[in-house]
Amino acid sequence: MRGKSVNVSLADSSIEGNKQMVREEYTTVTEGTSIERPEHLYFYKIGIYGWRKRCLYLFVLLLLIILLINLALTIWIIKVMWFSPSGMGYLQVTSEGVRLEGESEFLYPLYAKEIHSRKDSSLLLNSTHNITVNARNSEGNVTGRLQVGPKMVEVNGQQFQLNSEEGNMLFSADENEVAVGADRLRVTGPGGGLFEHSIETPFVNAEDFQQLSLESPTRTLSMDAPRGVHIKAQTGNITVLSETDINLQSSEGKIILDAKSLQLPLLPLGTKGNSGHTQEVYEICVCPDGKLYISEADAASTCHENNRVCQ
């Protein structure tokens, strides 16, 4: 029968400067044989010694120095950038969103759902070139744009609308029409209002003690209403001037001139021929084509006698 035995012994403490050594002895034993002790002992050193140990200590020291430098830089960045649990410096993160105190400068586009100022201050947007506000749909296409430039303000969109504090429409403009929802539209420019096409309004008047003038310098001026046109001057005169003709026409009704006196100073005088005398009383006559003229009044009508104007 074969067997195996292990013996561990400690060498003399005086060898190698009293260092601990381990001796391993392996012996094979069979029946009928005697155990012989080995003549030579083998010793193995466990650990790091020499230059390797010094390099390891140097590497650990270097890592410790880098760790201290990183910790110092982290503390310095936190102090300079004003990091806190609620945000960074003037930038604070709240439950309602992001709050930014003081003046801010954005070098790239800003995307936000809502921008508003504090309750006790106004919101100021400032730029050296222009300010552009874009509205996009879910596909990323621009559906509305507001651009404030150095020379003009441009708005692009399907419809532009201004509302009052109560939500009432004050001004609306789209591709088809422009609507003014205010009770009164006031034009204060010295040149008045210039309209290239027709306008629709129930009432036109001038300011107090100011004149109202409706003028078409190169074309015609037309006023139409399904239920009538009313022209009234409270304390002044109504003057209608035309270079050629002024037509008063009523298709189904009549034209009424209601006044205490009616003056037609430039009507032509109808005559039979050369007349050597004049008089101060005349009668108004009408030609077949509707032309008016005056004729010398007599006991009977003289329109037929003085109708040379109608020829």
Side-chain angles (χ1 to χ4, degrees), residues 16 24 68 121 123 126 141 157 168 191 194 207 243 267 296 300:
E16 295 294 335
E24 296 182 357
L68 293 177
S121 63
L123 178 62
N126 189 15
N141 299 326
N168 299 325
L194 176 61
E207 291 289 338
E243 185 177 353
L267 286 179
E296 297 179 357

Side-chain angles (χ1 to χ4, degrees), residues 238-259:
I238 296 176
T239 303
V240 179
L241 300 177
S242 176
E243 185 177 353
T244 55
D245 298 334
I246 297 177
N247 298 325
L248 299 178
Q249 181 179 0
S250 178
S251 58
E252 297 182 359
K254 54 186 177 180
I255 298 176
I256 300 175
L257 300 177
D258 186 6

Side-chain angles (χ1 to χ4, degrees), residues 245-248 264 266-271 283-295 303-304 306-311:
D245 298 334
I246 297 177
N247 298 325
L248 299 178
L264 302 173
L266 299 180
L267 286 179
L269 176 61
T271 60
E283 58 179 334
I284 298 177
C285 304
V286 182
C287 295
D289 60 357
K291 182 178 181 180
L292 298 179
Y293 66 96
I294 58 175
S295 178
C303 291
H304 182 70
N306 302 323
N307 58 0
R308 292 191 60 183
V309 179
C310 301
Q311 298 176 0

Side-chain angles (χ1 to χ4, degrees), residues 20-50:
Q20 183 179 2
M21 300 295 176
V22 179
R23 185 185 67 180
E24 296 182 357
E25 180 181 353
Y26 301 91
T27 308
T28 303
V29 180
T30 59
E31 293 182 358
T33 60
S34 61
I35 301 175
E36 295 180 359
R37 293 183 176 274
E39 296 180 358
H40 302 284
L41 299 177
Y42 298 94
F43 300 95
Y44 299 93
K45 296 181 181 181
I46 300 175
I48 300 175
Y49 301 95

Side-chain angles (χ1 to χ4, degrees), residues 3-284:
K4 180 180 181 180
S5 62
V6 179
N7 295 328
V8 179
S9 63
L10 301 176
D12 192 358
S13 59
S14 62
I15 300 174
E16 295 294 335
N18 297 328
K19 296 182 180 179
Q20 183 179 2
M21 300 295 176
V22 179
R23 185 185 67 180
E24 296 182 357
E25 180 181 353
Y26 301 91
T27 308
T28 303
V29 180
T30 59
E31 293 182 358
T33 60
S34 61
I35 301 175
E36 295 180 359
R37 293 183 176 274
E39 296 180 358
H40 302 284
L41 299 177
Y42 298 94
F43 300 95
Y44 299 93
K45 296 181 181 181
I46 300 175
I48 300 175
Y49 301 95
W51 63 272
R52 293 183 180 88
K53 184 176 182 180
R54 289 190 294 270
C55 290
L56 178 62
Y57 288 160
L58 181 62
F59 181 71
V60 173
L61 180 61
L62 181 62
L63 290 179
L64 183 60
I65 294 174
I66 294 175
L67 178 62
L68 293 177
I69 294 176
N70 289 336
L71 181 60
L73 289 176
T74 303
I75 297 175
W76 178 76
I77 292 174
I78 292 176
K79 184 177 180 181
V80 171
M81 300 300 294
W82 296 358
F83 282 106
S84 65
S86 60
M88 180 182 67
Y90 292 117
L91 181 64
Q92 300 180 3
V93 180
T94 62
S95 59
E96 298 178 355
V98 179
R99 180 177 180 180
L100 190 59
E101 298 286 346
E103 297 182 0
S104 304
E105 182 177 356
F106 299 94
L107 302 180
Y108 296 98
L110 175 64
Y111 298 90
K113 181 180 180 181
E114 180 181 356
I115 301 176
H116 62 88
S117 63
R118 298 191 311 178
K119 296 181 179 180
D120 56 347
S121 63
S122 59
L123 178 62
L124 175 62
L125 300 178
N126 189 15
S127 174
T128 56
H129 295 285
N130 56 46
I131 297 176
T132 303
V133 180
N134 293 333
R136 302 178 182 269
N137 55 13
S138 58
E139 299 178 355
N141 299 326
V142 177
T143 57
R145 174 177 296 173
L146 172 62
Q147 184 175 358
V148 181
K151 295 183 179 180
M152 71 174 182
V153 177
E154 182 178 357
V155 179
N156 296 331
Q158 297 181 356
Q159 184 178 6
F160 177 74
Q161 182 171 333
L162 294 177
N163 297 331
S164 63
E165 295 181 356
E166 293 77 11
N168 299 325
M169 189 270 293
L170 298 179
F171 180 84
S172 176
D174 56 19
E175 187 176 358
N176 297 323
E177 66 177 4
V178 175
V180 178
D183 296 335
R184 190 175 186 180
L185 175 62
R186 182 178 180 183
V187 181
T188 59
L194 176 61
F195 303 93
E196 296 183 358
H197 301 284
S198 62
I199 61 172
E200 181 178 351
T201 178
F203 184 66
V204 177
N205 72 318
E207 291 289 338
D208 295 339
F209 307 105
Q210 299 295 329
Q211 295 182 359
L212 175 63
S213 176
L214 301 178
E215 181 181 359
S216 178
T218 59
R219 295 294 186 269
T220 59
L221 177 62
S222 175
M223 292 185 293
D224 300 328
R227 301 182 59 180
V229 177
H230 181 67
I231 302 176
K232 183 179 180 180
Q234 295 286 354
T235 59
N237 300 327
I238 296 176
T239 303
V240 179
L241 300 177
S242 176
E243 185 177 353
T244 55
D245 298 334
I246 297 177
N247 298 325
L248 299 178
Q249 181 179 0
S250 178
S251 58
E252 297 182 359
K254 54 186 177 180
I255 298 176
I256 300 175
L257 300 177
D258 186 6
K260 295 180 178 180
S261 62
L262 180 62
Q263 297 182 5
L264 302 173
L266 299 180
L267 286 179
L269 176 61
T271 60
K272 295 182 292 184
N274 295 329
S275 177
H277 66 281
T278 60
Q279 65 180 49
E280 298 180 355
V281 179
Y282 302 92
E283 58 179 334
I284 298 177

